[in-house]
Amino acid sequence: MSAIAAPSVDPLPRSRWAALGVLATGMLMTILDGSIVTVAMPAIQSDLGFTPVGLSWVVNAYLIAFGSLLLLAGRLGDLIGRKRMFLAGTGVFTAASLLAGVAASPGVLIAARFLQGVGSAMASAVSLGILITLFTEPRERARAIAVFSFTGAAGASIGQVLGGVLTDALTWNWIFFINLPIGIAALLIALPALPADRGLGLKAGADVLGALLVTSGLMTGIYAVVKIEEYGAGSAHTLGLGTLALALLAGFLVRQATAANPLMPLRILRSRSVSGANLVQMLMVAALFSFQILVALYLQKVLGYGAAETGLAMLPAAAVIGAVSLGVSARLNARFGERNVLLTGLVLLVGVLGLLTRVPVHASYLTDLLPVMLLAAGFGLALPALTSLAMSGAKEADAGLASGLFNTTQQIGMALGIAVLSTLAASRTESLTTAGSPVPEALTSGYHLAFAVGAGLLVAAFAVALAVLKAPKSPRA
C-alpha cells in the first residue's frame, strides 16, 4: 500500500471528552510555563547569578524554540501521526522541566528552557488537529474549541498567581517541578484516550530543504524581534537579521510551490478563513500583549502590587473570559456565525485598551481597573470564533499543519507585541524621566502609548476580519 494514502484513524476513544481534557492540559502547561516564569525571574537571577542580559534568555530560549518549530511539528504530526507527536512532545517537555528544576547554572537552565520550547512545540502544534478530527459535529466542536481556548486564557492568569505563591513559599525551582505530575498524568491518560493514527507517511511531505528553510527563517526572525529592545528597531543587527529571515521564508514559499512533496502545501493558504484568521490572530495577540504583560507591570511598578496581588487583581479577567468562552461562545457562534462573534469580541477588546489609555497614576481598582477586567470578556468571544475559522478551511490530511500554522502566528504576534509595545513604552518612559518627570508618571505615560498602539492593532484586526472573512449566508439555528 502506498505511503501517501489517506491517514488511517482508529475508532474514537470511549470518551472524547477525556481526550479533550488531555489536549487542554497540554495547552495549560504550555501557557502556564510562559507566564509562571516571569514572576520568578528576580529569584532566578539572584540564585544562579544571571546578568541582566543573560536573564532575558530564560524567556527567549523558550520562545525561539517554540515559535520556530510549530509549523514543522504540525506537518510532521500529519505525516508520522499526531498522537505520536503529542506524546513525544509532552515527554520532552516533562523531562526538560525536571532538568530546569535542578539547574545549578545559567547555561543548564537556558538549555532546559530551549528543550521545553521544543517539547511544547511538538505537543501544541498537533493539539487542534487532533481536536477537530475527534469532534466533527459543529456544535460539539464549538464547545470543545471553547474549552480548549479557555485553558489558554486561564493558564496566563493562574501562572502569575501560582508563580508568586511557589516562589515565595518554596523556591523558584518548584515553578518547573510542578510540571512533572501534570506531564506524567497527561501521558498516562493520553495513551488510551487519544485516537491512534498512522499519518500520511514521510514520503508525502519529506521536504528536508523546506524544513531547514522554514525553521531557520522563523528562528532568525523571532530572534531578531526579541532583541529589538536591546539593539533598537533601526539597528544593523535588527535590519540584517530581519532581511535574512524574510529571505529564508521567501525561499521556503518558492520551494513549497515547486517541490513534488512540499512540507506545507500552499493550498492551505488559499482558504480565506485560514489565511484571514491567522492574520487577525497575529494582530490581536500582538495588541493583547499590552493587556497581559503591561497591565501586570503597571500594577507592580506604579501601584505597588506584589506578585500574588497582581495575579489576583487580574483573575476577574480570567473569570469572565472563562464564563463567556465556556458558557455562551459556542451557542453564539452557532446562532450568529463565527465572523460576527469575532467582530463583537474585537470591539470589546478595543474598549479594553481604550480604557487603559486613561488609567491614572493613583488608580482605584474598583473604578479604573475592574471595568477593564470585565470587558476582557471580548477575548472569550474572539478566540473560540477565530480558532474555528482558522481550522474550518483545512482538510483532515492538513489538520496538523493548520494547527501548527495557527500556533505559529500566535507566537509571532506575541513576539512582535513584546518587542514593539515594550520598546515604545520604555522609550516614552526614558524620555520623560530624562526631562525630569517622576518615575510613576513617566511609566504610566509609557504604558498609555503602548495601550494606544495596541488599540490601533485591534482596529486593524477588525478591518481585516470585516474585509477578508466571509459572513455566513444566513444565521444558523
Side-chain angles (χ1 to χ4, degrees), residues 209-223:
L209 178 58
L212 291 174
L213 285 170
V214 70
T215 303
S216 58
L218 288 171
M219 193 170 289
T220 302
I222 293 172
Y223 173 79

Side-chain angles (χ1 to χ4, degrees), residues 338-363:
E338 288 86 355
R339 176 180 180 266
N340 292 331
V341 174
L342 170 62
L343 293 173
T344 303
L346 289 172
V347 169
L348 292 177
L349 292 174
V350 171
V352 168
L353 296 189
L355 287 177
L356 285 172
T357 62
R358 302 172 60 85
V359 290
V361 175
H362 303 290

Side-chain angles (χ1 to χ4, degrees), residues 102-148:
V102 300
S105 67
V108 172
L109 182 57
I110 290 171
R113 290 288 289 160
F114 186 88
L115 288 175
Q116 278 189 309
V118 173
S120 288
M122 294 168 67
S124 300
V126 296
S127 294
L128 278 172
I130 297 173
L131 187 150
I132 67 166
T133 57
L134 278 171
F135 298 90
T136 55
E137 195 274 321
R139 190 176 296 274
E140 280 193 345
R141 179 181 290 183
R143 288 174 59 198
I145 286 177
V147 172
F148 188 80

Side-chain angles (χ1 to χ4, degrees), residues 99-418:
L99 179 62
V102 300
S105 67
V108 172
L109 182 57
I110 290 171
R113 290 288 289 160
F114 186 88
L115 288 175
Q116 278 189 309
V118 173
S120 288
M122 294 168 67
S124 300
V126 296
S127 294
L128 278 172
I130 297 173
L131 187 150
I132 67 166
T133 57
L134 278 171
F135 298 90
T136 55
E137 195 274 321
R139 190 176 296 274
E140 280 193 345
R141 179 181 290 183
R143 288 174 59 198
I145 286 177
V147 172
F148 188 80
S149 301
F150 168 67
T151 57
S157 296
I158 293 171
Q160 291 173 331
V161 177
L162 190 59
V165 170
L166 289 175
T167 303
D168 291 343
L170 300 171
T171 64
W172 63 265
N173 311 76
W174 285 91
I175 67 172
F176 300 113
F177 290 148
I178 194 69
N179 292 324
L180 300 182
I182 300 174
I184 292 170
L187 286 169
L188 292 175
I189 298 172
L191 282 168
L194 296 184
D197 58 307
R198 291 198 301 269
L200 296 166
L202 287 175
K203 290 183 180 180
D207 181 11
V208 177
L209 178 58
L212 291 174
L213 285 170
V214 70
T215 303
S216 58
L218 288 171
M219 193 170 289
T220 302
I222 293 172
Y223 173 79
V225 168
V226 300
K227 301 299 284 184
I228 283 177
E229 190 171 359
E230 181 178 343
Y231 289 96
S235 67
H237 180 276
T238 300
L239 295 177
L241 287 178
T243 301
L244 176 60
L246 290 175
L248 289 168
L249 293 174
F252 168 70
L253 292 176
V254 171
R255 170 68 181 176
Q256 301 315 287
T258 57
N261 293 311
L263 181 72
M264 187 184 81
L266 295 182
R267 64 177 180 269
I268 195 171
L269 297 179
R270 298 192 190 107
S271 166
R272 292 177 64 173
S273 294
V274 172
S275 55
N278 276 279
L279 180 55
V280 170
Q281 177 180 230
M282 191 183 302
L283 293 167
M284 184 178 79
V285 171
L288 291 178
F289 159 78
S290 62
F291 174 77
Q292 181 181 343
I293 304 299
L294 294 186
V295 169
L297 291 175
Y298 166 78
L299 290 171
Q300 293 184 52
K301 294 188 175 183
V302 177
L303 299 186
Y305 284 33
E309 289 176 299
T310 298
L312 291 172
M314 298 186 73
L315 273 181
V320 295
I321 290 170
V324 171
S325 61
L326 297 177
V328 299
S329 66
R331 290 196 293 272
L332 292 176
N333 285 335
R335 177 67 180 86
F336 299 105
E338 288 86 355
R339 176 180 180 266
N340 292 331
V341 174
L342 170 62
L343 293 173
T344 303
L346 289 172
V347 169
L348 292 177
L349 292 174
V350 171
V352 168
L353 296 189
L355 287 177
L356 285 172
T357 62
R358 302 172 60 85
V359 290
V361 175
H362 303 290
S364 163
Y365 182 80
L366 288 178
T367 58
D368 296 313
L369 291 170
L370 186 58
V372 171
M373 302 298 170
L374 298 180
L375 278 178
F379 194 69
L381 293 176
L383 188 57
L386 197 57
T387 305
S388 296
L389 287 165
M391 299 301 294
S392 64
K395 299 177 180 178
E396 183 176 336
D398 297 328
L401 175 60
S403 175
L405 178 63
F406 190 69
N407 281 288
T408 298
T409 57
Q410 187 177 87
Q411 294 306 306
I412 292 173
M414 186 182 299
L416 287 171
I418 291 171

